[in-house]
């Protein structure tokens, strides 16, 4: 057996998205290609989890190729991405917005709980947010996010502004290879102490 | 926000399987319920990844519920399960056989490569194998597995026997809660030195 990097063509877990689900596709595919870059550089092994699908009906027109004829999108039980970086478990949720604040309605409570659990167990857990209109990306550690989540809602606010993310999170520099070099920001937040 | 454990009904990533894909369903569901047990005990956060699906056609009979009408199973690019245990990244592939040896044809090279990479980066990486006929489960570290994989094939053997697994791996005790208490075996292999 030759030790090769996995074939990029089978790395992608992205699917042909449809209009309703096209939000965030550019961000997702930029993240996926950044993770592929990190894998090829042998820096980190982080993958996007496949979208969970509830399969109802399958046909077998040819024995070897089952054809799913009725299925539905399911709500993911965890987060979009996980893997290993510098010996640590890493887990994050990727979000994108066209607004200038990040609304809490875009993240589910069970995803927040999941990320808090990962933190409690010694993993790196954060949310990465892309603000499309200003083309800026931030990561924010789940504990800091959770503090804001509680604090803002106590003050009847249902979102986080970019200045708050500048203060509490870390901006990710955008470039070419990789497009979203978020491991630099991860280094700053988790590996400099 | 109350901190509750995630709702078990949305934890399951299993799908209605069809006849062709029913192999391993009992083992998979026993593993899933064992992982749910570990989560509820706050011991480990390990999930089965959803099966990747290539979506070709989606209908929108009602705006809020997209219906997938043509899709196909894809080959997973990584492994079945990953997560965090005792602060360490853990990653494994689950296999089941009705034979008394484990044939190498049941595991793909890119899965072996993936697990070797995880090991190289400091994660826990193994294969868990269920021998249905004798109702026995073993885990074997990916490095030990890879040695056997090379060595056996050099000797024109394309499988691993149960006695070899007894020697090189660790048997998992089967019980009730959890059904497959494989973290005990993981402790023995990875946390006793």
């Amino acid at each position: 057996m030759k030790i090769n990097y996995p074939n990029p063509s089978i790395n992608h877990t992205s699917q042909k998205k449809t209009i309703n689900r096209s939000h965030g596709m550019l961000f997702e595919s930029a993240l996926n290609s950044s993770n592929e870059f990190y894998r090829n550089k042998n820096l980190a092994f982080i993958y996007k989890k496949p979208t969970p699908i509830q399969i109802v009906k399958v046909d077998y027109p040819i024995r070897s190729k089952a054809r799913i004829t009725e299925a539905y999108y399911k709500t993911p039980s965890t987060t979009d991405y996980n893997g290993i970086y510098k010996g640590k478990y890493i887990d994050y949720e990727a979000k994108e917005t066209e607004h200038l604040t990040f609304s809490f309605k875009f993240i589910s409570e069970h995803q927040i709980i999941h990320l808090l659990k990962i933190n409690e167990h010694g993993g790196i857990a954060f949310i990465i947010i892309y603000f499309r209109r200003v083309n800026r990306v931030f990561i924010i550690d789940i504990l800091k996010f959770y503090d804001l989540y509680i604090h803002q809602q106590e003050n009847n606010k249902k979102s986080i502004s970019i200045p708050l993310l500048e203060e509490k999170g870390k901006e990710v520099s955008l470039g070419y290879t990789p497009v979203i070099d978020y491991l630099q920001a991860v280094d700053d937040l988790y590996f400099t102490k």
Side-chain angles (χ1 to χ4, degrees), chain A residues 55-69:
Chain A
I55 293 165
V56 176
K57 229 162 102 187
V58 186
D59 278 353
Y60 298 95
I62 307 154
R63 225 194 136 184
S64 59
K65 183 133 183 171
R67 176 185 166 141
I68 299 156
T69 55

Side-chain angles (χ1 to χ4, degrees), chain A residues 4-170:
Chain A
N4 288 323
Y5 294 111
N7 182 344
S9 69
I10 52 168
N11 272 338
H12 295 130
T13 55
S14 61
Q15 300 157 342
K16 279 190 194 172
K17 293 290 167 80
T18 52
I19 301 149
N20 271 17
R21 294 176 68 83
S22 69
H23 307 294
M25 268 307 285
L26 276 184
F27 184 48
E28 181 183 311
S29 91
L31 266 179
N32 290 346
S33 81
S34 300
N35 282 328
E36 196 180 319
F37 172 87
Y38 292 141
R39 286 196 295 274
N40 290 341
K41 290 276 180 192
N42 203 25
L43 281 172
F45 283 77
I46 298 162
Y47 286 87
K48 184 176 185 302
K49 291 176 209 163
T51 306
I53 306 284
Q54 175 73 47
I55 293 165
V56 176
K57 229 162 102 187
V58 186
D59 278 353
Y60 298 95
I62 307 154
R63 225 194 136 184
S64 59
K65 183 133 183 171
R67 176 185 166 141
I68 299 156
T69 55
E70 187 183 348
Y72 301 91
Y73 294 106
K74 280 168 67 182
T75 308
S77 47
T78 59
T79 42
D80 287 340
Y81 292 87
N82 74 353
I84 189 167
Y85 176 53
K86 291 187 176 175
K88 300 271 277 179
Y89 177 75
I90 192 168
D91 194 312
Y92 60 90
E93 180 64 19
K95 294 296 180 189
E96 172 168 359
T97 179
E98 48 193 329
H99 302 286
L100 293 176
T101 59
F102 177 69
S103 166
F104 294 139
K105 74 179 177 207
F106 290 128
I107 188 146
S108 72
E109 287 204 352
H110 73 263
Q111 288 178 321
I112 296 173
I113 293 164
H114 170 79
L115 289 168
L116 287 170
K117 284 284 173 197
I118 298 311
N119 171 277
E120 181 193 330
H121 283 257
I124 292 170
F126 59 83
I127 300 167
I128 184 166
I129 305 167
Y130 175 47
F131 293 91
R132 215 181 312 162
R133 220 194 296 175
V134 290
N135 200 38
R136 293 177 72 183
V137 173
F138 292 89
I139 69 178
I140 179 164
D141 178 70
I142 190 60
L143 287 187
K144 293 247 170 89
F145 179 85
Y146 185 61
D147 280 348
L148 291 176
Y149 184 85
I150 298 301
H151 183 260
Q152 295 287 88
Q153 290 185 115
E154 277 169 3
N155 294 299
N156 277 321
K157 290 176 186 167
K158 294 183 184 311
S159 67
I160 303 179
S161 66
I162 290 176
L164 259 178
L165 282 166
E166 286 172 334
E167 188 193 328
K168 304 286 185 182
K170 181 81 196 167

